[in-house]
Amino acid sequence: MNGNRWKLMRQAMTPIFTSAKLKKMFYIMDKSGKDFITYLKNNPEKLNGKAFDSIATFCCAAIGAAVFGVVSDSVFDSPFLDVARRAFRATFKSNIKSTVMNLSPWLSRKLKIKLFSEYEEFFIGAVKKIIRQREHESGQKHDFADICVNLQRSGTLKDRETGLEMEPTDELLAGQAFFFFSAGVDPSAAAIFGCLLELGRHPDHLEKVHVEIDSTFEALNGKLTYESVMDMGYLEMVLCESLRLWPPIGFLGRQCVEDTVLPVGNIKIEKGTKVFAAVYELHHDPKHYPDPEVFDPERFASEAARDSGVYMPFGKGNRLCVGMRFARLQVKTGLIHFLRNFTVETKFDGDVVQFRKDQIQVRPANVDIKFIPRKKHL
Ligand code: HEM
């Protein structure tokens, strides 16, 4: 979505991610983290090889639980998991389609190119079913399905500034739910993978994270809380630094809506021009980060470092990732449960990092992470 339609939808979606809402949703994230440990215990073959896939399955299950609610004993048994994993598996065909869509929305409309058409019916059907069920249930579950019901009860969405109105139909809300999967799963998995990759080759930092996690669990008698996750300062620094080194999304894109001149360098930009910000390069630029390839969580000891103009793993400005707070909480909760029970070793194949040929994501191709159970906790 662009322009006024995007603005109105963004206004409707932003309140989902307030601290108060996330705190209520925390029980879903906590359960997802615990279910991940059980899943790994029951599938020991996942411990040694294809770590990214296991982590992505976890993110898909966890986002599925936050969208559709906890509908089965384990979030890994959800009927949505398999379809969602299949929908977002990149193939040669899907890569070609999304390249055309990125390069020319006009051409993709002319050629009637659609990315996920075969999953439309399933998703809209699932969202419709859940919304209808919830309308008759008492009590709040604090997931996206609850929010959909509330949005529909509040009636037409209106933008006072532009006068634009939109009906929160099942189809529109299903589209949003689907977008949460498509925008959320792989970047969250890449964030966890990048963090474990660095911890797996820096045992000193890994040890510090383990100590922070263990002492939190011990102080809380084994029960994690929203506040305790927010208070883990060292983990926060480690995550910030690994998102610097491995920003899941390598560049940001914008389209100019009027002729302008960039203040730096006096560069003219015509209306309609697409402009890209090279996030990965900025994060690795020695002008901004001395010894940029060194993993040093202390760089983020101050909040100012997180707010700097060049640090943008979640983007910048009006289009900043709407799921950022949710994602950070989800990623940290997953990491905490995981690292309470496992330690990691990073395995590089060769001396130089090679990257996957991917549309948007930055993902190393020749790295894997071994998951090793920590005996005292399993
Ligand atoms: C660590 C995980 C994540 C990372 C690194 C990430 C990163 C990003 C980035 C870089 C953008 C583009 C921002 C820009 O252009 O300025 C974006 C947009 C977006 N993200 Fe995320 N994201 C993550 C997780 C999530 C999750 C879990 C959700 C959903 C619950 C989500 C929903 C979205 C949406 C809806 C947009 C489009 C926002 C808009 O255009 O208004 N993201 N994300």
Side-chain angles (χ1 to χ4, degrees), residues 6 10 179 183-184 187-188 191 248 254 313-316 319 321-322 326-327:
W6 160 78
R10 172 107 189 183
F179 195 36
S188 301
R254 296 290 186 272
F314 291 94
K316 273 276 177 259
R319 285 267 177 167
C321 173
V322 74
F326 170 91

Side-chain angles (χ1 to χ4, degrees), residues 6 10 17 63 176 179-181 183-185 187-189 191 243 248-249 251-254 312-324 326-328 331:
W6 160 78
R10 172 107 189 183
F17 301 107
I63 291 180
Q176 294 302 307
F179 195 36
F180 285 178
F181 275 95
V185 173
S188 301
L243 283 170
I249 300 190
F251 66 87
L252 306 178
R254 296 290 186 272
M312 40 189 159
F314 291 94
K316 273 276 177 259
N318 294 343
R319 285 267 177 167
L320 178 79
C321 173
V322 74
M324 177 175 74
F326 170 91
R328 296 191 77 95
V331 161

Side-chain angles (χ1 to χ4, degrees), residues 27-294:
Y27 81 97
I28 302 177
M29 301 185 192
D30 191 39
K31 169 154 180 52
S32 305
K34 288 180 188 154
D35 287 353
F36 186 32
I37 304 308
T38 312
Y39 172 78
L40 290 175
K41 272 202 237 174
N42 293 342
N43 297 279
E45 75 283 1
K46 307 270 178 208
L47 303 185
N48 199 1
K50 298 197 175 166
F52 188 90
D53 288 351
S54 306
I55 296 168
T57 306
F58 158 68
C59 294
C60 198
I63 291 180
V67 169
F68 294 114
V70 177
V71 294
S72 46
D73 265 359
S74 161
V75 296
F76 285 81
D77 297 331
S78 161
F80 308 111
L81 183 60
D82 182 43
V83 181
R85 285 305 292 138
R86 268 191 284 135
F88 300 117
R89 202 158 285 149
T91 61
F92 181 67
K93 197 171 149 196
S94 68
N95 274 341
I96 297 278
K97 280 184 179 180
S98 52
T99 306
V100 177
M101 287 171 108
N102 275 336
L103 290 177
S104 171
W106 172 84
L107 183 64
S108 55
R109 269 195 301 274
K110 276 266 169 239
L111 298 175
K112 297 203 169 89
I113 294 179
K114 278 183 154 192
L115 255 185
F116 302 107
S117 48
E118 62 266 49
Y119 300 99
E120 239 176 61
E121 229 178 88
F122 176 88
F123 250 80
I124 295 175
V127 169
K128 267 191 179 156
K129 195 169 146 206
I130 298 250
I131 296 179
R132 294 293 90 78
Q133 255 172 18
R134 290 292 171 86
E135 282 168 351
H136 304 292
E137 281 174 18
S138 57
Q140 296 258 304
K141 295 202 164 69
H142 306 293
D143 48 26
F144 181 71
D146 267 4
I147 288 152
C148 291
V149 174
N150 291 338
L151 273 178
Q152 290 191 334
R153 283 195 183 131
S154 315
T156 311
L157 304 172
K158 285 187 197 120
D159 184 350
R160 281 201 206 110
E161 229 175 85
T162 62
L164 181 71
E165 296 192 351
M166 255 184 336
E167 286 309 318
T169 58
D170 293 347
E171 284 74 12
L172 187 73
L173 296 171
Q176 294 302 307
F178 192 71
F179 195 36
F180 285 178
F181 275 95
S182 61
V185 173
D186 275 359
S188 301
I192 296 180
F193 187 83
C195 190
L196 293 178
L197 181 165
E198 291 304 335
L199 290 175
R201 58 176 176 172
H202 294 100
D204 43 342
H205 297 297
L206 177 62
E207 169 70 19
K208 280 193 190 174
V209 176
H210 272 144
V211 168
E212 185 174 61
I213 292 173
D214 289 349
S215 53
T216 303
F217 270 96
E218 269 130 46
L220 295 167
N221 290 325
K223 195 181 171 323
L224 204 60
T225 60
Y226 169 82
E227 288 75 12
S228 62
V229 175
M230 301 304 280
D231 283 348
M232 287 194 201
Y234 196 68
L235 178 66
E236 171 66 20
M237 281 157 53
V238 164
L239 180 62
C240 287
E241 175 66 342
S242 55
L243 283 170
R244 179 187 70 80
L245 279 167
W246 305 101
I249 300 190
F251 66 87
L252 306 178
R254 296 290 186 272
Q255 187 157 19
C256 227
V257 289
E258 56 188 56
D259 290 354
T260 189
V261 177
L262 288 187
V264 179
N266 227 12
I267 301 166
K268 270 192 192 160
I269 312 264
E270 278 175 24
K271 181 179 170 182
T273 308
K274 283 192 173 179
V275 181
F276 297 96
V279 177
Y280 183 90
E281 283 73 10
L282 286 168
H283 283 192
H284 287 252
D285 188 336
K287 256 196 329 231
H288 306 299
Y289 298 101
D291 292 326
E293 302 312 321
V294 173

